[in-house]
Amino acid sequence: MAKETTSEHLRAELKNLTDTLEEVLSNTGEKSKTELDKLRQKAREALDNSRERLGESGERLAQSTREAAHKADDYVRENPWHGVGIGAAVGVIIGILISRR
């Protein structure tokens, strides 16, 4: 569920940035220099905010991945034969998929 929230957050952030940039581009032909400067500043702020939020989301995603890898490592250490069986099963499935080509 955390991955869904993160991807939804990323989509919303990118949509917000896209909307702001579309506004800047669509209004540039009919604006004065002062208005263009204001639009440019708004676009810069939106871009900076998006970079910051996307960076935070990326860090949360990286942390979740590290935690999952750590849990998988712990499981394999506690149950080595299960890990070998799972690895063998994955290998067989990949082999079947590759041979179909």
Side-chain angles (χ1 to χ4, degrees), residues 48-67:
D48 291 344
N49 288 337
S50 293
R51 281 184 179 159
E52 181 178 324
R53 289 181 185 148
L54 292 174
E56 292 169 1
S57 295
E59 182 56 37
R60 282 193 302 266
L61 184 60
Q63 180 63 29
S64 297
T65 303
R66 283 191 293 271
E67 289 173 4

Side-chain angles (χ1 to χ4, degrees), residues 38-55:
K38 287 179 184 177
L39 283 174
R40 197 173 289 126
Q41 180 63 30
K42 182 178 178 181
R44 173 55 62 192
E45 288 172 3
L47 181 61
D48 291 344
N49 288 337
S50 293
R51 281 184 179 159
E52 181 178 324
R53 289 181 185 148
L54 292 174

Side-chain angles (χ1 to χ4, degrees), residues 1-12 57-69 71:
M1 185 142 126
K3 289 182 182 180
E4 290 176 13
T5 304
T6 301
S7 65
E8 289 173 13
H9 175 71
L10 291 174
R11 275 189 278 252
S57 295
E59 182 56 37
R60 282 193 302 266
L61 184 60
Q63 180 63 29
S64 297
T65 303
R66 283 191 293 271
E67 289 173 4
K71 287 178 183 178

Side-chain angles (χ1 to χ4, degrees), residues 69-84:
H70 182 66
K71 287 178 183 178
D73 184 54
D74 288 345
Y75 178 80
V76 170
R77 288 178 190 272
E78 291 172 8
N79 304 296
W81 288 109
H82 287 119
V84 170

